[in-house]
């Protein structure tokens, strides 16, 4: 018999917030659905998962015969020393060795990985192993939060195929192509509602576009009616005042007073109608166009000829030949560990390396740099302190355009931000000045669909010179003018 997760009147609000993140949510989720949980950064996706796990105090009821398990799992130092096989069996002792071998093979691993210490694995390998551990427990209902962050494009394809072979889980991700390959239901956390629909991300986009168009038509009609009623209210008020002050005759003044009373009653009813119409206006998601301050460099940025970087006296990747001219957007691709970020660090001159081949790097003075490590390095309070009031308002306006509520970014308590909100802070920082070169490493990680769409539109509009790394296929396919894949060097 199929089991269901029943959610009734679920509401949650952090103590520091005026409005709840979500309110009176009622859902019936089937245990076999491959459910994508969507929503803008800070909308409450991870909080919703925490409610299912009963890790936060909420109002309402969650009834489920299922045991929820969260990804990513925290691995202790003790567990990090385990062999992968022992880690997988720690909470799944009933599993046979052959069952483990089947699962690791589905993840495109050799069975030899079972004999490796967990701590020796790369970030992408750890992600895959923890997903295997998640699904070994057949009585658990997995809650998968941002599984793609440590995965390259190849790894994402492997994991999407693996998840497609499973049933019954909720996954949070902002990689549209990744989700589209396996989800069969979508739970969208909107501005004023939470909607559940059958289908994949393409289905959700179609439904959302249709709903937004219908809401916009309704909004336009309501706004026209509000404008007309405002004019009526204003005219009635002017007429009443004029009539009351137009005569000094006592009988005429009594008549004028009655008419003034009537005009006030009309104005009151009109104002009530205005408020009613305003409340009917649908509060749709606003996707405003981003402006990027771009100045094109005068000279060619990069020229590499049969070039590679040496590590332990061995080439890191097969030698490459590539040029970057003003206005071009180059994306560096390849599997994790092949040297993509190392090449980016070399181009920026942040580190010195031994190299082979010819190179000519001509960096301009003004560079927009964005990399993953900046999430822990960036001091928001100090940054704001050094801005003028005008610069601060410009920075905050960018954050507003990226979908952050003003109360979120004027509160300088960084720990209260979601990972996506932190990324938006870094993105606004990378966009605020006029730059000649954009060097971005995995900008789309943690960013919601709407921001990724905004970036695609802005980059194609302003056409900056750019060198980037990103594993979101939709983003790369949409903005890259050049792509080069690094291949591991085998001696």
């Amino acid at each position: 018999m199929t089991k269901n997760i029943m959610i009734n009147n679920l509401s949650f609000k952090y103590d520091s917030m005026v409005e709840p993140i979500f309110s009176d949510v009622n859902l019936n989720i089937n245990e076999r659905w491959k459910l994508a949980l969507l929503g803008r950064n800070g909308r409450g996706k991870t909080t919703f998962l925490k409610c299912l796990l009963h890790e936060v105090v909420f109002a309402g009821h969650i009834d489920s015969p299922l045991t929820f398990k969260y990804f990513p799992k925290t691995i202790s130092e003790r567990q990090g020393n385990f062999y992968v096989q022992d880690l997988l069996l720690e909470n799944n002792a009933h599993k046979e060795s052959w069952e483990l071998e089947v699962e690791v093979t589905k993840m495109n691993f050799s069975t030899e990985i079972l004999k490796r210490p967990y701590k020796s694995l790369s970030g992408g390998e750890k992600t895959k192993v923890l997903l295997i551990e998640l699904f070994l427990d057949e009585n658990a209902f997995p809650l998968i939060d941002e599984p793609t962050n440590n995965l390259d494009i190849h790894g994402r394809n492997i994991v999407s195929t693996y998840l497609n072979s499973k049933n019954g889980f909720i996954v949070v991700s902002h990689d549209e192509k990744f989700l589209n390959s396996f989800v069969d239901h979508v739970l969208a956390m909107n501005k004023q509602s939470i909607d559940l629909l059958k289908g994949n991300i393409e289905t959700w986009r179609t439904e959302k576009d249709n709903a937004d168009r219908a809401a916009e038509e309704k909004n336009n009609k309501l706004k026209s009616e509000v404008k007309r009623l405002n004019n009526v209210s204003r005219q009635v008020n002017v007429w009443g005042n004029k009539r009351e002050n137009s005569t000094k005759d006592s009988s005429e003044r009594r008549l004028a007073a009655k008419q003034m009373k009537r005009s006030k009653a009309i104005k009151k009813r009109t104002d009530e109608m205005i408020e009613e119409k305003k409340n009917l206006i649908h509060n749709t998601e606003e996707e405003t166009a981003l402006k990027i301050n771009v100045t094109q460099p005068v000279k060619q940025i990069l020229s590499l000829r049969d070039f590679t970087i040496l590590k332990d006296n061995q080439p890191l990747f097969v030698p490459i030949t590539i040029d970057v001219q003003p206005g071009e957007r180059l994306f560096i691709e390849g599997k994790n560990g092949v040297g993509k970020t190392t090449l980016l660090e070399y181009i920026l001159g942040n580190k010195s390396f031994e190299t082979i081949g010819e190179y000519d790097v001509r960096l301009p003075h003004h560079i927009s740099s964005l990399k993953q490590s900046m999430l822990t390095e960036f001091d928001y309070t100090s940054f704001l302190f050094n801005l003028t009031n005008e610069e601060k308002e410009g920075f905050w306006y960018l954050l507003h355009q990226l979908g952050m509520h003003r109360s979120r970014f004027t509160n300088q308590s960084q720990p209260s931000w979601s990972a996506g909100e932190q990324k938006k802070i870094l993105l606004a920082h990378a966009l605020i000045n006029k730059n000649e070169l954009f060097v971005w490493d995995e900008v789309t990680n943690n960013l919601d669909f709407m921001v990724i769409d905004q970036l695609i539109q802005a980059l194609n509009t302003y056409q900056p010179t750019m060198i980037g790394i990103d594993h979101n296929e939709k983003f790369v396919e949409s903005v890259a003018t050049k792509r080069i894949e690094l291949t591991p060097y085998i001696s």
Side-chain angles (χ1 to χ4, degrees), residues 138-199:
E138 295 164 359
N139 296 316
F141 188 88
L143 306 176
I144 308 170
D145 199 357
E146 299 283 6
T148 61
N149 282 350
N150 289 313
L151 298 175
D152 55 34
I153 292 174
H154 179 65
R156 293 183 187 207
N157 290 336
I158 291 170
V159 169
S160 68
T161 301
Y162 182 81
L163 292 177
N164 200 34
S165 71
K166 305 297 182 182
N167 286 308
F169 55 85
I170 296 175
V171 59
V172 176
S173 175
H174 298 118
D175 188 326
E176 193 167 336
K177 193 168 184 178
F178 172 76
L179 290 175
N180 249 337
S181 62
F182 61 84
V183 303
D184 54 29
H185 285 76
V186 173
L187 183 62
M189 305 190 79
N190 305 314
K191 206 167 188 177
Q192 291 184 324
S193 64
I194 295 182
D195 298 331
L196 178 65
L197 62 91
K198 183 177 181 180

Side-chain angles (χ1 to χ4, degrees), residues 27 123 207 331 349 353 371 397 403:
L27 296 168
E207 293 288 331
F331 277 80
F353 301 95
K371 54 186 178 179
Y397 179 66

Side-chain angles (χ1 to χ4, degrees), residues 122-125 127-128 147-160 175 178 332-340 442 445 469-473 485-486 488:
S122 69
E125 289 171 333
T127 292
K128 294 173 192 172
T148 61
N149 282 350
N150 289 313
L151 298 175
D152 55 34
I153 292 174
H154 179 65
R156 293 183 187 207
N157 290 336
I158 291 170
V159 169
S160 68
D175 188 326
F178 172 76
I332 304 166
E333 302 177 328
K335 293 182 179 180
N336 286 341
V338 74
K340 300 185 297 295
E442 299 195 41
N445 273 10
I469 299 169
D470 212 280
H471 300 307
N472 186 305
E473 284 194 77
E485 183 165 3
L486 303 187

Side-chain angles (χ1 to χ4, degrees), residues 210-228:
N210 290 339
D212 285 350
R213 277 195 294 271
E216 192 60 33
E217 290 177 9
K218 178 183 176 183
N219 284 353
N220 289 336
K221 291 179 181 177
L222 287 169
K223 287 173 183 176
S224 295
E225 183 64 7
V226 167
K227 184 178 180 180
R228 185 187 69 80

Side-chain angles (χ1 to χ4, degrees), residues 49-116:
L49 298 185
K50 287 181 178 180
C51 289
L52 294 179
L53 292 161
H54 287 267
E55 291 183 355
V56 293
V57 178
F58 56 83
H61 300 280
I62 298 175
D63 297 313
S64 174
L66 305 169
T67 301
F68 296 110
K69 289 186 72 172
Y70 181 76
F71 171 95
K73 175 182 178 180
T74 301
I75 298 297
S76 67
E77 186 176 346
R78 177 185 68 87
Q79 291 171 315
N81 291 316
F82 287 3
Y83 289 115
V84 169
Q85 177 171 299
D86 297 330
L87 182 68
L88 294 177
L89 290 174
E90 184 181 26
N91 296 312
N92 301 285
H94 61 287
K95 291 294 182 181
E96 301 287 343
S97 294
W98 67 268
E99 293 177 285
L100 301 186
E101 292 175 358
V102 168
E103 291 301 302
V104 299
T105 302
K106 285 181 181 178
M107 276 292 192
N108 209 33
F109 284 134
S110 163
T111 55
E112 293 301 314
I113 197 171
L114 294 169
K115 302 300 182 183
R116 288 175 58 188

